Amino acid sequence: MANDLKLVAISPSLMVPLGLTMLVCAITYALPPTAFIGAILVTGVLGGAILTHLRLLEFGSLAEIACVLLGIFAWAGLWLTDFRVRALMPLRTEKRGAEG
């Protein structure tokens, strides 16, 4: 793993802080009162992973697709379990016709 980090110009000494950051994001997402903020944080972490793959010209790689799917599943899970998120992101809206 340290060699992979060197390949993308990230110091191996950042392995523990990166791991702890990801753990905090996952725990924040797992707790219902903070799940919305956790989803935002998880999206940021996954976005950073996707950007790293793009820097390596690995567009469409299995790892990159996995990151995209994890992000979609994180928000879909939150959307399905929290009515407040559904209110913010409705799948459809009511059309109001002009009367008169």
Side-chain angles (χ1 to χ4, degrees):
M1 174 160 264
N3 290 333
D4 293 337
L5 288 174
K6 287 180 184 177
L7 182 67
V8 294
I10 297 175
S11 172
S13 65
L14 292 176
M15 284 176 61
V16 172
L18 285 173
L20 289 174
T21 301
M22 289 183 227
L23 181 64
V24 167
C25 293
I27 290 171
T28 305
Y29 177 74
L31 298 173
T34 59
F36 184 77
I37 294 171
I40 294 171
L41 294 174
V42 166
T43 302
V45 168
L46 293 172
I50 290 169
L51 178 64
T52 301
H53 288 287
L54 289 176
R55 283 184 58 212
L56 295 174
L57 302 175
E58 295 179 354
F59 185 75
S61 68
L62 185 60
E64 187 178 24
I65 292 169
C67 289
V68 171
L69 290 175
L70 282 172
I72 290 170
F73 291 148
W75 281 102
L78 191 60
W79 189 86
L80 289 170
T81 58
D82 194 334
F83 71 93
R84 297 170 296 180
V85 176
R86 285 192 301 273
L88 285 173
M89 301 184 304
L91 287 182
R92 59 183 165 166
T93 58
E94 294 180 26
K95 293 184 180 180
R96 297 179 187 227
E99 295 180 18

